[in-house]
Each structure stands twice: as structure tokens, then as C-alpha cells.
Amino acid sequence: MKKSYVGVIGVEVMGRNLALNMESRGYQVSVFNRTGEKTKVFMEGDAKGKNIVGTYELKEFVDSLESPKRVMLMVKEGKPVDEFIEKLLQFLKKGDLIIDGGNSFFKDTIRRNTYLNEKGVMFIGTGVSGGEEGALKGPAIMPGGQKEAYLLVEKLFKDICAKAYDGEACVDYIGPDGAGHFVKTTHNGIEYGDMQLIGEVVWFFKNALQMTGEEIAEVLKKWNAKDDILRSYLIEIAADSMKEKRHGTNDFLVDKVADITRMKGTGTWTVGSALELLVPVPTIAASIFAREMSQDKDLRLEVSKVLKFPKKDFSKEKKELIEIAHDALYIAKISSYAQGMALLQAASKKYDFKLNYGKIAKGWREGCIIRAQFLDDITKEYEKNPELPNLLMAPKFAKFVNENITKLTRFIEVAHQAAVPALAMTGAFNYILQLASPIMISAQVSALQRDFFGAHGYFIVGGPKNPEIEKNKEGKMREFHTEWMLPGRPEREITK
Ligand code: 6PG
């Protein structure tokens, strides 16, 4: 029997759809699942009559593949990935390839890469974004691992992935070992941020402007029009779902759905990495905190009986405030993506991922959940200047932010007066304010407090008009301590 080009382990929806996608592009695919029953259902259902080989033993699965063997794991991240790797090692040979296409933690991917490298088996940890539809019709793919390993699947990935409007494939080699999964995790953090920002706008529309679901859907639909700067998949599906009636009833689903956002956790990894790498990501963090708060339903119900605030009605200014919300959302998005990109920069430095930010943005233009017109603009800004210190410095975005920042101020002000929380919006706004502050006075105060209570030292700047930090002849920042407890409070330079 003809051997398969690739094998997929795991026939849950993502694995199943990826296998179907591969088959539809002319590849013979073998499939295996821990519980054979699911393979059987798949083989007798969607895979029936297709060039897909169902296997029921792991050896049979591996034997059914041509060499070098390409095995794609589409199983739950964590232990199942390690378990399958161990089992596969019994049958794989040097030069064969394992691809982990789940949402794995990048440090696990680095560990697995080292482990498999020692055994001569190649390994790719790849982000696959786009949900079930993406997996079937064309996801965005973010592969990390050895370059030679990537070359074994480059053609396959290029064939099955999404294509942007200019025909470019939404896949590119991201970098070594954990790079692909780090980029996917960051994608998900940005996704959380986008979703939270859109959610805050809808809350604003409903409670500050008293808009109905249908009206909101109309506005969001306009924001998703061709050439609108906000045009994106998440705006599109938000618009779509806003006007949805609960099946079999006359109620809007958005009024009936419980206010609880669960999460599998990739966004928390993004924020965890940001904490570890000392990169501020307030919008992304706000989106996690908002999801956490949403899950505290009982407590919120209790507290809402005790704490009550005035809720000003702004519906008379509806038209103007809708326009303000549009530009406020765009600025917040720029800020949020700037945070995500800054995280990628820091990770690239720390883990030597050698990331190419323009290419990453390019690969996110189609297929993935955050796909948007905006990503094409980001791509172009990085193409013009690959060394951009921060996305907010890209001329196109800096200009928009400078000209429209007061709209974000207004949005936040109105939201708060209407008692609408705007955690992510505020995080985005304050990120910009802090980033654009040559002197962060709050940090000056904290530096003094630390030196006062703990003798932790401080650096010196030239003064309010000269924000540069004083350096010694070797170019090191000069450090000082005030003897707060001594009479006259003398200052001494710390030289160690
Ligand atoms: C994607 C999605 C995908 C998945 C998330 C949802 O890129 O296709 O991000 O990975 O939908 O895991 O994440 P939460 O359950 O954490 O919201």
C-alpha cells in the first residue's frame, strides 16, 4: 500500500480538520487517536472516501508513513504530548520528524527540542491558529525548531495554510526550538486583548449610549467595512453575534449569555512571560484580569447589592461618541500590539529566537484569530524599519496617536462616568502615556521610598529639563544613597 506523506495523531476537531485540509491539497494522510473509537467515527464519517488512512496501533501508524516520517501531534498540551513523544520514540528513526501543533508552553517545547535532538529525531513546535474553520480551510502556522526540520514540512505547510490578499502564505519559519510556540502564545495574548477591548466598547455602547444589540451590530459591521482601519475577524464575528437571537426564542443571545469568560490559559502564559522578561503588557494583563473577574460571578452579585454608582447617560451624544469609540479602539489596538511586539523583542533577545517582527505580522494577516487589515500596516512599518524600538514609534501609528489621543481620553472618561469599566482601554492609554514620559515621576517617588526604607540606592538625572541619567566615565549609571537617618542626611555614591 502507498505510504502516507504525513500522519496526524489526535482526531479531535483541530486534528481532524487539519487532516482533511492536508488531504484536500493532495496529500495522503494517516491518522491515529488514543481511543480507536474516535478514529473509526472519523473514518466512517468525514474521512470516508478520502485519501486518509485510519490506523489503530501506533506501530501501524508509523509504518504507514513514508520516510523521513512526519508525525503531527494534535493532542492536548502538557502530559499527552510527552507521552506520545515517548511512545513514538520506539518506532521513529534518526531524521524523522515530530511536529507538536498544539498550544504548548514554549519552555516545554525548548525542553522537548533538546531531548529529541539528543536522540537525532527532529522536532517542530508550531502554533496553528484559526480555530476549527482555519484548520480545515487554511490556518496561520507559526513553526519553530531546526531549520532542516522546517524544510521537511515547508511545502506541506505552505499548501495548507491561509493566503493573504497578495497571495503570500501565512506561514514562515519563526526561529529555533520554542520560538514558534512563544509567538503563538503572544498571538493568543494579543487575541485576549483584542477581545477585551471590543467587549469594553460594546459595554460602552450598551450602558453609556443605551444602544440595542442590533444597533451595535450595525456599527461594528461598518467598522468591518473594506478599508476601515478596524477591519478584522474579531470585529466581524462580534458584529455577527450581536444580532443573533437565542435559538428558538426572540431574545438576543448577547443578553442571555452568562457573563463568564473561561480560558485554557495561553494568555496567562503571555503575561507570565512578560513578568519574567520585565515587559509591561497592561492591556493583555487587563484582559486576563477581566476574565478572572468574570468568573467571580457570585461575589459580583453580592457586591453589586452593596456598592452602587451613578451611571450617567450619554445617549444624546451617541453619534459623536460612536466615532470617538472607533478611533479610541484603534489607538488601544496599536498600544496593545506594541506591547505584544515588545514582548516578542524581549523574548527574542533572551532566548536567541532571532525573530523577524515584520514576517510575524505578515503571517498573521490571514488565517489566525487576530487577522486584520491592521496587520498589513504593521508589516509595512516593520518592512520600512525592522529595528523599530517600539511599534508606537512607527510614523503611521505615531501620527494617528498624536492626532487622536484625546478620543481615547474621552472614551475612558465617558465610560467611567457611565460606570462602565474600561480596564484594557485604560491599560492601553496609560501604556502610551508612560512610554512617552521622559520622566516617570511615580518611579522617582518609589526610588526615593526604596532608598529611604531599604537603602536600595537611586540613580540621578540632570533635572526636569534634562531627563538623561548621569553616567560615569565607563558609561555606567552613577548610583547614590542618602543616609536618611543621619543628621544632615548626607548623600554618598555607591561604587561597587
Ligand atoms: C487560535 C486560538 C486557539 C484557541 C484558544 C482559546 O489561535 O486559533 O487562539 O488557540 O481558541 O486556545 O483560548 P482560551 O481558551 O484561552 O480563550
Side-chain angles (χ1 to χ4, degrees):
M1 190 187 160
K2 191 179 164 243
K3 303 258 181 186
S4 298
Y5 185 83
V6 59
V8 175
I9 293 185
V11 296
E12 293 297 342
V13 65
M14 289 296 284
R16 211 162 58 217
N17 283 357
L18 264 187
L20 289 168
N21 181 352
M22 290 166 176
E23 196 272 347
S24 74
R25 319 277 162 172
Y27 295 96
Q28 181 176 309
V29 189
S30 291
V31 292
F32 176 80
N33 197 72
R34 192 174 48 86
T35 44
E37 192 49 37
K38 289 200 173 149
T39 310
K40 198 162 162 260
V41 171
F42 177 51
M43 291 311 296
E44 286 168 5
D46 291 346
K48 200 170 177 161
K50 303 226 159 81
N51 198 12
I52 294 181
V53 182
T55 63
Y56 297 87
E57 294 293 335
L58 201 57
K59 184 173 184 316
E60 178 200 0
F61 168 78
V62 176
D63 284 345
S64 74
L65 304 175
E66 63 177 59
S67 284
K69 299 182 188 286
R70 301 171 184 85
V71 178
M72 184 144 184
L73 292 173
M74 291 304 295
V75 298
K76 198 174 164 341
E77 59 84 21
K79 229 167 125 202
V81 176
D82 287 315
E83 284 172 359
F84 266 116
I85 287 177
E86 263 333 293
K87 286 184 195 150
L88 281 165
L89 281 174
Q90 300 169 49
F91 310 115
L92 294 181
K93 295 205 175 56
K94 278 194 172 164
D96 288 340
L97 169 66
I98 299 177
I99 307 151
D100 172 16
N103 272 335
S104 289
F105 183 49
F106 80 103
K107 285 189 183 170
D108 285 337
T109 306
I110 294 178
R111 168 178 60 77
R112 289 171 187 142
N113 197 285
T114 311
Y115 177 67
L116 287 168
N117 248 334
E118 282 162 8
K119 305 205 174 286
V121 171
M122 291 200 267
F123 185 60
I124 293 248
T126 186
V128 177
S129 178
E132 36 185 299
E133 197 193 2
L136 184 65
K137 296 183 182 160
I141 308 181
M142 296 152 241
Q146 305 93 337
K147 192 73 197 256
E148 320 85 86
Y150 172 67
L151 294 177
L152 282 181
V153 279
E154 186 177 29
K155 186 177 174 321
L156 172 73
F157 281 180
K158 285 200 164 151
D159 284 345
I160 64 166
C161 76
K163 312 291 175 300
Y165 71 94
D166 53 7
E168 292 248 17
C170 291
V171 62
D172 209 337
Y173 174 67
I174 298 282
D177 48 61
H181 274 138
F182 191 89
V183 167
K184 174 59 173 43
T185 299
T186 306
H187 163 283
N188 281 27
I190 293 174
E191 167 189 310
Y192 280 35
D194 271 349
M195 292 166 73
Q196 177 62 23
L197 289 170
I198 296 171
E200 289 177 8
V201 169
V202 170
W203 197 337
F204 176 95
F205 282 168
K206 282 184 128 220
N207 285 19
L209 308 186
Q210 318 301 329
M211 289 167 67
T212 64
E214 262 160 339
E215 277 180 290
I216 297 171
E218 264 326 292
V219 171
L220 294 180
K221 207 172 143 205
K222 279 195 196 123
W223 291 5
N224 193 45
K226 199 169 177 291
D227 294 332
D228 192 289
I229 45 182
L230 289 177
R231 182 175 168 83
S232 62
Y233 171 67
L234 285 170
I235 289 276
E236 179 194 325
I237 61 169
D240 209 14
S241 57
M242 259 343 88
K243 55 177 195 301
E244 188 73 12
K245 294 271 175 71
R246 184 155 188 230
H247 191 76
T249 75
N250 217 14
D251 301 323
F252 282 109
L253 189 52
V254 66
D255 294 330
K256 300 298 281 181
V257 64
D259 50 341
I260 290 175
T261 317
R262 289 175 293 174
M263 52 186 161
K264 283 193 254 148
T266 41
T268 50
W269 291 342
T270 314
V271 177
S273 300
L275 289 175
E276 206 176 307
L277 295 165
L278 299 180
V279 181
V281 291
T283 311
I284 299 171
S287 66
I288 309 279
F289 297 153
R291 286 187 183 206
E292 287 169 351
M293 183 65 90
S294 82
Q295 296 188 27
D296 240 335
K297 179 76 187 179
D298 293 343
L299 181 64
R300 284 190 287 113
L301 284 175
E302 281 306 305
V303 175
S304 66
K305 290 178 199 148
V306 179
L307 300 180
K308 295 182 192 297
F309 311 111
K311 295 179 180 173
K312 224 173 136 185
D313 176 11
F314 287 87
S315 46
K316 287 211 176 72
E317 295 165 60
K318 189 153 81 182
K319 193 168 174 291
E320 182 206 338
L321 286 171
I322 290 174
E323 280 165 24
I324 280 177
H326 177 275
D327 289 357
L329 178 56
Y330 186 59
I331 294 180
K333 242 176 112 85
I334 299 172
S335 172
S336 180
Y337 281 64
Q339 296 162 37
M341 288 310 206
L343 178 60
L344 291 183
Q345 273 176 330
S348 185
K349 205 163 153 202
K350 164 90 191 223
Y351 299 104
D352 207 15
F353 285 154
K354 298 191 176 59
L355 298 180
N356 180 320
Y357 314 106
K359 276 192 182 173
I360 292 168
K362 196 174 195 176
W364 286 346
R365 292 180 306 162
E366 257 310 326
C368 64
I369 303 296
I370 63 170
R371 59 187 182 260
Q373 180 129 325
F374 176 48
L375 280 157
D376 198 43
D377 296 333
I378 298 182
T379 307
K380 287 181 182 139
E381 292 304 305
Y382 275 112
E383 277 169 356
K384 277 186 237 156
N385 180 7
E387 305 304 324
L388 262 179
N390 185 287
L391 190 63
L392 277 152
M393 286 184 71
K396 186 181 169 95
F397 301 133
K399 184 170 184 293
F400 192 90
V401 171
N402 279 331
E403 286 170 2
N404 297 287
I405 190 78
T406 52
K407 296 182 184 161
L408 184 50
T409 321
R410 177 89 181 122
F411 178 92
I412 292 168
E413 184 193 326
V414 169
H416 287 167
Q417 286 192 36
V420 172
L423 212 63
M425 283 281 190
T426 315
F429 180 53
N430 285 306
Y431 178 79
I432 299 174
L433 290 189
Q434 287 190 336
L435 197 63
S437 297
I439 295 274
M440 282 179 63
I441 293 174
S442 56
Q444 289 182 306
V445 176
S446 304
L448 285 184
Q449 288 168 325
R450 287 184 76 247
D451 191 58
F452 200 118
F453 63 64
H456 295 302
Y458 50 81
F459 307 113
I460 283 289
V461 288
K465 293 224 169 83
N466 176 14
E468 301 284 334
I469 294 179
E470 264 185 34
K471 294 195 176 142
N472 62 19
K473 280 192 209 113
E474 290 89 52
K476 280 208 172 135
M477 295 192 288
R478 294 180 68 193
E479 196 177 354
F480 298 87
H481 165 60
T482 291
E483 299 289 357
W484 299 94
M485 301 307 148
L486 292 185
R489 297 187 160 175
E491 183 185 73
R492 66 177 169 81
E493 185 159 3
I494 304 169
T495 47
K496 27 171 203 242

Short mmCIF file of all heavy atoms in Angstrom, two decimals, residues 14 103 128-131 142 184 187-188 191-192 195 261-267 291 368-369, ligand 1:
data_model
loop_
_atom_site.label_atom_id
_atom_site.label_comp_id
_atom_site.label_asym_id
_atom_site.label_seq_id
_atom_site.Cartn_x
_atom_site.Cartn_y
_atom_site.Cartn_z
N MET A 14 -9.51 19.86 15.84
CA MET A 14 -8.37 20.50 15.16
C MET A 14 -7.58 19.49 14.32
O MET A 14 -7.25 19.76 13.16
CB MET A 14 -7.44 21.19 16.17
CG MET A 14 -8.01 22.44 16.80
SD MET A 14 -8.32 23.77 15.63
CE MET A 14 -6.68 24.41 15.32
N ASN A 103 -1.28 23.97 21.46
CA ASN A 103 -0.87 25.22 22.12
C ASN A 103 0.04 24.88 23.30
O ASN A 103 -0.35 24.98 24.45
CB ASN A 103 -2.10 25.97 22.64
CG ASN A 103 -2.68 26.89 21.59
OD1 ASN A 103 -1.98 27.34 20.69
ND2 ASN A 103 -3.97 27.19 21.72
N VAL A 128 -0.70 26.86 15.59
CA VAL A 128 -1.67 26.72 14.49
C VAL A 128 -2.87 27.53 14.93
O VAL A 128 -3.51 27.21 15.93
CB VAL A 128 -2.08 25.25 14.27
CG1 VAL A 128 -3.15 25.14 13.18
CG2 VAL A 128 -0.88 24.39 13.91
N SER A 129 -3.14 28.60 14.24
CA SER A 129 -4.25 29.45 14.67
C SER A 129 -5.33 29.55 13.62
O SER A 129 -5.05 29.52 12.42
CB SER A 129 -3.75 30.86 14.99
OG SER A 129 -4.83 31.68 15.35
N GLY A 130 -6.54 29.70 14.10
CA GLY A 130 -7.66 29.90 13.19
C GLY A 130 -8.86 29.08 13.58
O GLY A 130 -9.86 29.05 12.85
N GLY A 131 -8.74 28.38 14.71
CA GLY A 131 -9.87 27.59 15.17
C GLY A 131 -10.18 26.45 14.23
O GLY A 131 -9.38 26.12 13.34
N MET A 142 2.78 28.86 12.72
CA MET A 142 3.97 29.53 13.28
C MET A 142 4.99 28.50 13.76
O MET A 142 5.06 28.19 14.95
CB MET A 142 3.54 30.42 14.45
CG MET A 142 2.62 31.56 14.05
SD MET A 142 1.50 32.04 15.41
CE MET A 142 -0.10 31.73 14.66
N LYS A 184 3.11 31.99 19.09
CA LYS A 184 1.68 31.64 19.15
C LYS A 184 1.05 32.08 20.47
O LYS A 184 -0.08 32.59 20.52
CB LYS A 184 1.49 30.12 18.95
CG LYS A 184 0.05 29.63 19.13
CD LYS A 184 -0.89 30.32 18.15
CE LYS A 184 -2.31 29.84 18.06
NZ LYS A 184 -3.09 29.55 19.19
N HIS A 187 0.52 35.66 20.28
CA HIS A 187 -0.67 35.86 19.43
C HIS A 187 -1.93 35.74 20.29
O HIS A 187 -2.85 36.54 20.20
CB HIS A 187 -0.68 34.83 18.29
CG HIS A 187 -2.01 34.67 17.62
ND1 HIS A 187 -3.03 33.93 18.19
CD2 HIS A 187 -2.50 35.15 16.46
CE1 HIS A 187 -4.09 33.98 17.40
NE2 HIS A 187 -3.78 34.71 16.33
N ASN A 188 -1.97 34.70 21.12
CA ASN A 188 -3.16 34.49 21.93
C ASN A 188 -3.35 35.60 22.97
O ASN A 188 -4.47 36.01 23.25
CB ASN A 188 -3.11 33.12 22.62
CG ASN A 188 -3.50 32.00 21.67
OD1 ASN A 188 -3.34 32.14 20.47
ND2 ASN A 188 -4.01 30.92 22.19
N GLU A 191 -4.76 38.32 21.18
CA GLU A 191 -6.17 37.93 20.90
C GLU A 191 -7.05 38.27 22.13
O GLU A 191 -8.12 38.86 21.99
CB GLU A 191 -6.19 36.43 20.59
CG GLU A 191 -7.54 35.76 20.58
CD GLU A 191 -7.39 34.22 20.47
OE1 GLU A 191 -6.67 33.74 19.58
OE2 GLU A 191 -8.00 33.50 21.29
N TYR A 192 -6.59 37.88 23.31
CA TYR A 192 -7.34 38.20 24.54
C TYR A 192 -7.53 39.72 24.63
O TYR A 192 -8.60 40.21 24.98
CB TYR A 192 -6.56 37.77 25.79
CG TYR A 192 -6.59 36.32 26.20
CD1 TYR A 192 -6.63 35.28 25.28
CD2 TYR A 192 -6.53 35.98 27.55
CE1 TYR A 192 -6.61 33.96 25.70
CE2 TYR A 192 -6.51 34.67 27.98
CZ TYR A 192 -6.55 33.65 27.04
OH TYR A 192 -6.51 32.35 27.46
N MET A 195 -10.10 41.00 22.15
CA MET A 195 -11.45 40.60 22.55
C MET A 195 -11.95 41.48 23.70
O MET A 195 -13.10 41.93 23.72
CB MET A 195 -11.48 39.13 22.97
CG MET A 195 -11.24 38.18 21.82
SD MET A 195 -10.89 36.51 22.37
CE MET A 195 -12.48 35.98 22.94
N THR A 261 -16.16 34.51 31.11
CA THR A 261 -15.22 34.11 30.05
C THR A 261 -14.23 33.12 30.63
O THR A 261 -13.46 33.47 31.52
CB THR A 261 -14.41 35.31 29.50
OG1 THR A 261 -15.29 36.40 29.33
CG2 THR A 261 -13.74 34.96 28.19
N ARG A 262 -14.28 31.93 30.11
CA ARG A 262 -13.30 30.94 30.58
C ARG A 262 -12.03 31.08 29.76
O ARG A 262 -11.97 31.85 28.81
CB ARG A 262 -13.88 29.53 30.43
CG ARG A 262 -14.98 29.29 31.45
CD ARG A 262 -15.64 27.97 31.25
NE ARG A 262 -16.39 27.96 30.00
CZ ARG A 262 -16.98 26.88 29.51
NH1 ARG A 262 -16.92 25.74 30.16
NH2 ARG A 262 -17.65 26.92 28.38
N MET A 263 -11.01 30.34 30.11
CA MET A 263 -9.78 30.36 29.30
C MET A 263 -8.99 29.10 29.53
O MET A 263 -8.96 28.56 30.62
CB MET A 263 -8.94 31.59 29.63
CG MET A 263 -8.64 31.79 31.09
SD MET A 263 -7.79 33.36 31.34
CE MET A 263 -8.08 33.63 33.08
N LYS A 264 -8.33 28.69 28.42
CA LYS A 264 -7.49 27.50 28.56
C LYS A 264 -6.12 27.89 29.09
O LYS A 264 -5.38 27.05 29.56
CB LYS A 264 -7.39 26.77 27.22
CG LYS A 264 -8.68 25.99 26.95
CD LYS A 264 -8.51 25.04 25.81
CE LYS A 264 -9.23 25.58 24.61
NZ LYS A 264 -8.63 25.26 23.34
N GLY A 265 -5.77 29.15 28.95
CA GLY A 265 -4.57 29.61 29.67
C GLY A 265 -3.42 30.18 28.90
O GLY A 265 -2.48 30.69 29.51
N THR A 266 -3.46 30.15 27.57
CA THR A 266 -2.30 30.67 26.84
C THR A 266 -2.05 32.15 27.14
O THR A 266 -0.91 32.59 27.18
CB THR A 266 -2.48 30.48 25.32
OG1 THR A 266 -3.82 30.80 25.00
CG2 THR A 266 -2.19 29.05 24.91
N GLY A 267 -3.15 32.89 27.35
CA GLY A 267 -3.00 34.32 27.66
C GLY A 267 -2.27 34.53 28.97
O GLY A 267 -1.47 35.47 29.11
N ARG A 291 -11.13 38.47 32.61
CA ARG A 291 -11.67 37.10 32.52
C ARG A 291 -11.77 36.50 33.92
O ARG A 291 -12.73 35.79 34.24
CB ARG A 291 -10.76 36.23 31.64
CG ARG A 291 -10.91 36.55 30.17
CD ARG A 291 -10.14 35.56 29.31
NE ARG A 291 -10.23 35.92 27.90
CZ ARG A 291 -10.11 35.06 26.90
NH1 ARG A 291 -9.88 33.79 27.13
NH2 ARG A 291 -10.21 35.47 25.65
N CYS A 368 -5.39 33.42 11.06
CA CYS A 368 -5.43 33.35 12.53
C CYS A 368 -6.58 34.18 13.10
O CYS A 368 -7.24 34.92 12.39
CB CYS A 368 -4.09 33.79 13.12
SG CYS A 368 -3.70 35.50 12.78
N ILE A 369 -6.76 34.04 14.40
CA ILE A 369 -7.89 34.72 15.06
C ILE A 369 -7.73 36.24 15.04
O ILE A 369 -8.71 36.97 14.97
CB ILE A 369 -8.05 34.19 16.51
CG1 ILE A 369 -8.25 32.67 16.53
CG2 ILE A 369 -9.20 34.90 17.23
CD1 ILE A 369 -9.50 32.15 15.87
C1 6PG B 1 -6.34 30.27 17.81
C2 6PG B 1 -6.97 30.35 19.16
C3 6PG B 1 -6.98 28.99 19.76
C4 6PG B 1 -7.98 28.81 20.88
C5 6PG B 1 -7.52 29.39 22.16
C6 6PG B 1 -8.63 29.90 23.02
O1 6PG B 1 -5.35 30.96 17.62
O2 6PG B 1 -6.85 29.56 16.96
O3 6PG B 1 -6.28 31.22 19.98
O4 6PG B 1 -5.66 28.71 20.11
O5 6PG B 1 -9.22 29.22 20.52
O6 6PG B 1 -6.91 28.33 22.83
O7 6PG B 1 -8.02 30.27 24.16
P1 6PG B 1 -8.72 30.41 25.53
O8 6PG B 1 -9.48 29.15 25.83
O9 6PG B 1 -7.57 30.57 26.46
O10 6PG B 1 -9.61 31.59 25.41
#
